[in-house]
Amino acid sequence: MADRSAGDGRTAGTVTGAAGAESTAELGRRVLRLRTERGFTQRQLAEPAYTAAYVSTLEAGKVRPSEAALRHLADRLGVSYEELTTGRSPRDATRLRAAVTDARRALATGAAEDAAVLFAEVRDEAERLGFAEERSAALLGLGDCALETGDLTVARDHFEAVERLLAGEPLPRRIPAIRGRAVAHLLAGELRYSCYLLESSIDELNASGLHDPYALLLLYTAAIAPYMDMGAHARAVRAAELALALAPSVDDPGLIARMHRGVARTLIAEGRTAEADASLAKAQELYEQLRIHTDLAHCHWMRGYVHAQDGNLERAERELRTARDMLASKRAALFTVQVEVELADVLRRRGRTAEAEALLLPLLARTPAAGTANTAGGPDTAPGEARPGEAGLTADRGAVHAGGAHRLLGLIADERGDAEAAEEHYCAALSLLERTGAAGDLADLCRLLGDLLRREGRLEAAMDAYRTGLGHRAAPGTTTLGPAPAEPPV
């Protein structure tokens, strides 16, 4: 009854090696479980083609059955050949995929913590059933939930787990997890490493000829933000151009909308605000159709930034408040406080400095600069410690926006004549931004600090600040990024 394996003439029924023994033993246990569940004896399962002794040997993991034997057993047990050989029930796989879809819908329309509960249930059941594909989808969802709540270390752990699980799969299968990990590093302020992850994957895809449009569009779209923050504007523009060229080959409205958001950012930097607003309108329309609330909030956020750049501060404030309220309702803590930094900038420019300061101080989880009240804590909170459960901006959590908050507080202090507090805030911002490599913001900050020191008569210190700023402004991006990645044939 044993087949002959092609090659060396050994019988297929002979277990040869640990891997074969393990899979054969697992198959035997599965046959035993299914037979017992159905109340069959070994003879009833075996007849008419096989013997009870053969079934007994098979269940003990001592023989690897032929395909014919497996098909006979599957038919007698009332399961598919695939389910018997792999343990994967098509019904279970369909049910778990539907559960992943439900969890994705919950993440799009509700709070990330609630969606995480659903993803965790799928992950645990998929692991129990040995369904690697469904388990990786659930882990990817958990990573996205953690990004939204600002739990960046947890997010990275989930994305890395997906990469390990899919280590033997083609690279395009792992790209969503790599992109997620890059975004987590970006939000933490690790701009160079975020670029490295994305560019390395782009190079590997193109070098291996795996020009998967979806994977490449995901990577180019994700690369725009760290490029812009690092001052590598030419690379950001090229990434946006390539993303637009790839878009017609991708049938994913959510990803297309995200691409339009990224393209809009490059248009804003070039002063093409009308085109940027039109690109954001396309993204917003898609998000509204898909009911993806977090990304829709990001569109309001960026449209607020566009209006602020145009000097329409009233409309900017309205859009930013809408974005903040939407993100707060979804308990997207880190994104909420990042929007509040930009809202505070608009309030300051509208002359409402007290409101801006009151909005900024609670966002910083570290001790406020001298001359300001410690509103980040309270009477029962140590200096520099955020209240329990309250999201704050730190060096490893929203560092770019933390630097922006200190910069704004420095401007407010400077405008009211408090040079000491202004200098402390500028220096705190400088420390944060130098760690991230955000070149454009660093150059502007060094100018502000240099102007302050010059007015104080500290000319040598002012010159040092100006030199530092010029160093960051010269050839933006070239000192921290290697050669641009290879381009796909689009």
Side-chain angles (χ1 to χ4, degrees):
M1 291 176 200
D3 295 332
R4 287 280 178 182
S5 60
D8 59 8
R10 291 178 295 191
T11 60
T14 304
V15 177
T16 58
E22 182 181 355
S23 60
T24 303
E26 184 180 338
L27 178 60
R29 288 192 295 269
R30 192 176 303 127
V31 171
L32 174 60
R33 174 177 59 79
L34 291 169
R35 178 179 65 78
T36 304
E37 287 174 357
R38 285 152 179 76
F40 291 168
T41 65
Q42 289 176 336
R43 182 177 300 279
Q44 287 172 328
L45 180 60
E47 291 179 341
Y50 300 92
T51 66
Y54 176 73
V55 171
S56 176
T57 306
L58 188 156
E59 290 179 347
K62 296 178 180 178
V63 64
R64 186 184 305 146
S66 66
E67 181 180 340
L70 285 170
R71 291 194 180 278
H72 165 81
L73 295 172
D75 183 61
R76 295 286 291 158
L77 292 166
V79 298
S80 67
Y81 173 77
E82 179 192 24
E83 182 175 353
L84 183 61
T85 54
T86 67
R88 284 181 60 94
S89 163
R91 292 184 298 276
D92 285 339
T94 300
R95 178 172 53 80
L96 287 177
R97 287 171 191 158
V100 169
T101 300
D102 289 343
R104 279 281 168 199
R105 189 177 299 113
L107 177 59
T109 59
E113 293 97 332
D114 300 332
V117 173
L118 300 177
F119 280 121
E121 291 173 355
V122 178
R123 175 202 59 193
D124 294 344
E125 188 171 1
E127 185 173 7
R128 180 179 63 81
L129 294 171
F131 287 13
E133 184 177 345
E134 289 73 18
R135 183 181 168 205
S136 67
L139 285 166
L140 193 66
L142 284 168
D144 289 337
C145 289
L147 282 182
E148 190 160 309
T149 58
D151 299 319
L152 304 181
T153 301
V154 173
R156 287 196 296 268
D157 289 344
H158 286 311
F159 293 131
E160 287 169 0
V162 176
E163 291 182 67
R164 288 193 298 272
L165 196 60
L166 301 179
E169 298 288 330
L171 179 58
R173 290 284 311 281
R174 303 194 300 276
I175 291 302
I178 294 170
R179 174 258 171 198
R181 192 152 56 95
V183 172
H185 284 289
L186 169 66
L187 293 173
E190 298 162 353
L191 307 183
R192 295 180 190 85
Y193 191 64
S194 179
C195 286
Y196 166 76
L197 285 174
L198 297 167
E199 291 190 339
S200 298
S201 299
I202 290 170
D203 267 335
E204 189 174 347
L205 280 172
N206 289 327
S208 59
L210 297 172
H211 305 299
D212 183 284
Y214 178 85
L216 287 168
L217 182 57
L218 204 60
L219 292 170
Y220 282 122
T221 299
I224 292 171
Y227 282 157
M228 293 296 294
D229 284 344
M230 292 188 70
H233 296 157
R235 288 203 190 182
V237 169
R238 186 57 184 152
E241 290 170 348
L242 289 167
L244 285 167
L246 288 162
S249 304
V250 175
D251 184 20
D252 184 335
L255 179 53
I256 299 300
R258 190 185 300 161
M259 178 208 68
H260 282 303
R261 275 173 40 207
V263 169
R265 188 166 179 187
T266 66
L267 294 171
I268 293 167
E270 294 176 336
R272 297 157 63 184
T273 52
E275 294 170 72
D277 197 46
S279 189
L280 288 170
K282 293 177 187 175
Q284 189 167 327
E285 182 180 356
L286 287 168
Y287 287 137
E288 286 171 346
Q289 291 171 2
L290 296 168
R291 298 180 62 205
I292 303 178
H293 292 180
T294 301
D295 288 318
L296 181 57
H298 278 267
C299 280
H300 285 290
W301 178 359
M302 194 170 285
R303 293 189 91 168
Y305 180 75
V306 170
H307 293 316
Q309 292 294 102
D310 267 351
N312 192 336
L313 300 181
E314 183 179 351
R315 287 189 66 185
E317 180 181 348
R318 188 162 60 246
E319 291 282 5
L320 290 170
R321 287 191 184 278
T322 298
R324 183 192 56 177
D325 292 346
M326 291 176 69
L327 291 167
S329 70
K330 282 181 57 65
R331 303 199 290 275
L334 181 56
F335 294 140
T336 301
V337 296
Q338 288 177 332
V339 171
E340 287 178 335
V341 172
E342 299 199 20
L343 176 58
D345 185 33
V346 170
L347 292 173
R348 184 193 67 83
R349 290 170 62 187
R350 299 194 73 184
R352 292 149 60 185
T353 54
E355 287 180 61
E357 192 171 22
L359 192 60
L360 288 168
L361 287 170
L363 306 184
L364 297 170
R366 299 191 182 278
T367 307
T372 58
N374 181 16
T375 58
D380 300 320
T381 309
E385 181 183 344
R387 284 194 292 268
E390 197 171 84
L393 293 165
T394 64
D396 56 1
R397 190 175 184 274
V400 173
H401 281 80
H406 276 296
R407 172 187 173 278
L408 288 172
L409 287 167
L411 281 169
I412 292 170
D414 203 354
E415 288 164 358
R416 69 170 175 240
D418 189 346
E420 183 181 355
E423 184 178 348
E424 288 196 29
H425 280 301
Y426 288 153
C427 288
L430 186 62
S431 175
L432 287 162
L433 295 176
E434 280 188 321
R435 175 180 172 275
T436 68
D441 292 342
L442 275 165
D444 177 65
L445 184 65
C446 290
R447 176 188 61 80
L448 291 172
L449 179 59
D451 289 349
L452 173 67
L453 295 170
R454 182 171 53 81
R455 290 196 303 271
E456 292 286 300
R458 297 156 60 188
L459 299 183
E460 190 60 40
M463 289 297 293
D464 285 342
Y466 289 140
R467 289 191 200 99
T468 301
L470 286 170
H472 288 296
R473 181 55 87 186
T478 57
T479 58
T480 54
L481 294 173
E487 295 186 2
V490 295

